[in-house]
Amino acid sequence: MRLRPLAIALLISLVAAGCGTPGLDKPFAIETGTISGTAGMDASVHVFKGIPYAAPPVGALRWRAPEPAAAWEGVRNADTFGASCIQNLQGSREPWTEEFMVQGEISEDCLYLNVWTAAASSEERRPVLVYIHGGGFSEGSGDILIYDGESLAKKGLVVVTINYRMGILGFMAHPELSAEAGGASGNYGLMDQVAALAWVQRNIDRFGGDPSRVAVAGQSAGAFSVHYLTGSPMARGLFQRAILQSGPGTIAGVGRLSTPMLDDGEAMGAAFAEAVGAPSVAALRAMSWQDLTAPRAGMPPARFWPIIDGKFLEEDVEDAFAAGRQNDVPTLSGFNADEGSAFMAAIYHGITPDAFATMAINRYGDMAKDYLAAYPGATEEEATASLQASAREGGMASLLHWSALRQKTARTPTYLYYFERAIPWPEHPEFGAFHTGEVPYVFNNLALLNRPWEDVDRRLADQVSSYWAQFAAAGDPNAAGLPAWPAFAPGEAVIQNLGATVAPRPLPAPERLSFFMSYLDNP
């Protein structure tokens, strides 16, 4: 029996409306074309690698805000990661072994993202975690092994990792670039992050994600990025929760985070152009990335960083919070017990009393006597112990200080943590709970690292990843089966310990906490 035209039209409309919607293991359409992914190690997880979220920032698009990605015809097989953005490839650098570092190719054509989802179809609405990698705004990638999103996808999240421009290609400002763009330049890497978040808003429902429940998370430079996103009018409405791992407000002795101004960035960019003999931005764009990033005799490496450009950032994020102009979303923030172990050998290899006293004077100035009274250092053993303790307790004080300032205008809660579990590593106990060491636990990816894991590690990874998944879903990490995690309140300062014990931890002794609070009030 032949179907009449009306019946055929009705059948087509039912399919288009979602009747019989195929699973995500079949090709489906996103805004730029049809895409297919691949199965994860667990066949219930669908992985989509190397999806372009913006046009390649090459040629005339170098040092411009990201442009829309081009559409494609046919089916794009998203089974391979895109190239990482330009950086100095090192392979490994202790304590960051290969699992923590970029191993693939690099290119200026690098604005890609990756998606892990266990949704059965696009009709589901799962919470979304968009993860921004660390690396000092000069290295890193969304395809680094420890960021594999499969385990979190199995816990109900749709996980997105992204690449963004870094270094000179991501953050160079220049007077000519500012004139070209209507008065602002720099921060291209942060604009890439906004473009990726906007892509998520437009497309993540096709992967079973809920665009109204997006958590943006990051570690180190990724956490700083999240901090800047909370203060940027360009990011308004693009996310509903924020997670900062080892970011602003967790570094003892720093005090207020001061972001350079546009004039400072332009001056650095102009000085760089002069040093490389480029009379114009056109000349800089004509240079290869290899020439732009090559070491030069007698010239220190140029370090480009986010700035207050008047467009992405109109003011210091601290000023935005003080005035209540921030993107006010529930926030989870914390740091690791041994953040400085990879950067400051004296913390673990010993410091003499004289060197300890000199350090105190250089860092704390007129308050050095108060510091040394709280953290004595009459012997090398005592000085080393005090240095370790003050790094940890100063980090806790900074976290509490930052949270108290945030809470003055925020209408959303803050949850704080202190991660103290060291990755088991018999060959290098000196690194302890090092900077980035919490990430395999957050992603529940212990099996991807060859370490002598213990039951306590597996239990902690399950708990921490569950906290992150629950926070992404609800803006609150608390859930049945997890130890209670109280929110921060100025009169009830609480920091959750994440380690062999998972519970609110004791705060620093009153005289030590008072010293750091006084210093942070008057840095």
Side-chain angles (χ1 to χ4, degrees):
M1 177 178 176
R2 295 179 61 186
L3 289 173
R4 295 182 178 181
L6 181 59
I8 294 172
L10 179 61
L11 179 61
I12 292 172
S13 67
L14 287 172
V15 172
C19 180
T21 301
L24 299 184
D25 57 341
K26 303 292 192 298
F28 60 92
I30 61 174
E31 64 179 349
T32 43
T34 303
I35 194 169
S36 69
T38 186
M41 289 182 287
D42 186 316
S44 69
V45 177
H46 311 293
V47 185
F48 303 85
K49 302 176 181 178
I51 305 172
Y53 68 85
V58 300
L61 297 185
R62 183 190 280 176
W63 297 307
R64 291 185 187 273
E67 295 283 342
W72 59 81
E73 295 183 358
V75 177
R76 183 185 183 100
N77 293 318
D79 58 359
T80 304
F81 289 118
S84 301
C85 293
I86 299 302
Q87 60 195 282
N88 179 23
L89 287 175
Q90 298 191 52
S92 66
R93 185 175 68 250
E94 289 182 351
W96 304 290
T97 51
E98 289 83 355
E99 302 92 343
F100 292 82
M101 302 285 283
V102 173
Q103 304 299 322
E105 66 173 307
I106 58 174
S107 170
E108 281 193 80
D109 178 3
C110 64
L111 299 186
Y112 298 94
L113 55 75
N114 317 294
V115 180
W116 288 260
T117 178
S121 77
S122 60
E123 294 180 339
E124 295 191 35
R125 288 295 177 267
R126 298 186 174 209
V128 181
L129 180 74
V130 178
Y131 204 86
I132 303 175
H133 68 75
F137 293 109
S138 61
E139 62 183 44
S141 173
D143 72 357
I144 289 173
L145 188 61
I146 56 170
Y147 302 138
D148 185 285
E150 180 164 324
S151 291
L152 285 177
K154 290 166 66 176
K155 292 199 170 192
L157 296 180
V158 176
V159 180
V160 180
T161 65
I162 68 172
N163 297 345
Y164 57 93
R165 285 172 284 181
M166 301 172 293
I168 188 172
L169 295 168
F171 294 97
M172 189 188 78
H174 189 282
E176 191 178 335
L177 287 172
S178 296
E180 177 181 281
S185 62
N187 289 343
Y188 304 106
L190 295 175
M191 293 182 201
D192 294 342
Q193 295 170 12
V194 167
L197 287 167
W199 183 96
V200 167
Q201 287 296 310
R202 298 190 305 270
N203 292 277
I204 207 63
D205 60 338
R206 326 283 173 85
F207 298 85
D210 183 352
S212 71
R213 288 191 295 166
V214 175
V216 60
Q219 185 269 340
S220 192
F224 275 79
S225 296
V226 175
H227 180 68
Y228 293 129
L229 288 164
T230 62
S232 174
M234 291 181 66
R236 189 155 291 129
L238 296 181
F239 59 96
Q240 293 75 41
R241 303 89 165 81
I243 301 175
L244 295 82
Q245 299 169 215
S246 304
T250 63
I251 306 171
V254 171
R256 177 185 171 94
L257 173 67
S258 182
T259 307
M261 303 298 293
L262 175 62
D263 288 349
D264 301 319
E266 289 179 338
M268 181 179 290
F272 176 84
E274 181 179 359
V276 299
S280 65
V281 166
L284 287 169
R285 285 188 172 126
M287 294 176 66
S288 69
W289 67 260
Q290 291 90 342
D291 287 340
L292 283 172
T293 59
R296 288 173 172 82
M299 179 180 170
R303 185 68 184 270
F304 294 93
W305 189 266
I307 59 174
I308 297 173
D309 62 344
K311 184 177 181 181
F312 179 89
L313 283 179
E314 297 177 347
E315 59 190 329
D316 258 324
V317 179
E318 288 80 357
D319 292 335
F321 269 94
R325 289 188 288 265
Q326 75 276 19
N327 299 317
D328 188 7
V329 298
T331 298
L332 188 153
S333 181
F335 72 108
N336 295 355
D338 303 301
E339 294 280 359
S341 64
F343 310 106
M344 190 176 177
I347 291 180
Y348 290 95
H349 295 287
I351 185 170
T352 66
D354 287 345
F356 182 62
T358 299
M359 180 277 299
I361 293 169
N362 290 339
R363 177 170 293 182
Y364 300 110
D366 294 340
M367 296 186 69
K369 288 184 179 179
D370 298 328
Y371 172 81
L372 292 170
Y375 296 96
T379 66
E380 182 169 331
E381 182 178 35
E382 187 178 52
T384 301
S386 285
L387 186 58
Q388 290 180 15
S390 66
R392 292 166 176 162
E393 294 173 354
M396 284 185 248
S398 294
L399 190 61
L400 294 170
H401 188 269
W402 172 85
S403 300
L405 292 176
R406 177 191 183 276
Q407 220 50 49
K408 287 182 178 180
T409 60
R411 297 176 300 279
T412 55
T414 309
Y415 296 88
L416 307 179
Y417 73 86
Y418 173 86
F419 189 92
E420 69 172 5
R421 177 66 180 176
I423 291 176
W425 199 4
E427 298 83 1
H428 290 286
E430 71 275 14
F431 289 123
F434 61 85
H435 186 68
T436 324
E438 86 288 5
V439 174
Y441 295 83
V442 166
F443 279 83
N444 200 18
N445 278 340
L446 304 190
L448 300 182
L449 283 78
N450 182 21
R451 300 288 190 274
W453 302 111
E454 303 173 19
D455 287 344
V456 64
D457 297 292
R458 287 181 279 271
R459 181 175 67 251
L460 181 61
D462 182 57
Q463 290 173 322
V464 171
S465 59
S466 294
Y467 276 138
W468 262 239
Q470 177 64 19
F471 183 79
D476 182 335
N478 290 286
L482 291 172
W485 185 338
F488 169 86
E492 302 175 15
V494 176
I495 298 177
Q496 187 84 338
N497 194 78
L498 301 179
T501 298
V502 178
R505 65 169 294 114
L507 299 182
E511 66 276 11
R512 292 182 170 186
L513 188 58
S514 176
F515 164 78
F516 278 112
M517 290 301 186
S518 296
Y519 172 75
L520 291 166
D521 281 334
N522 301 282

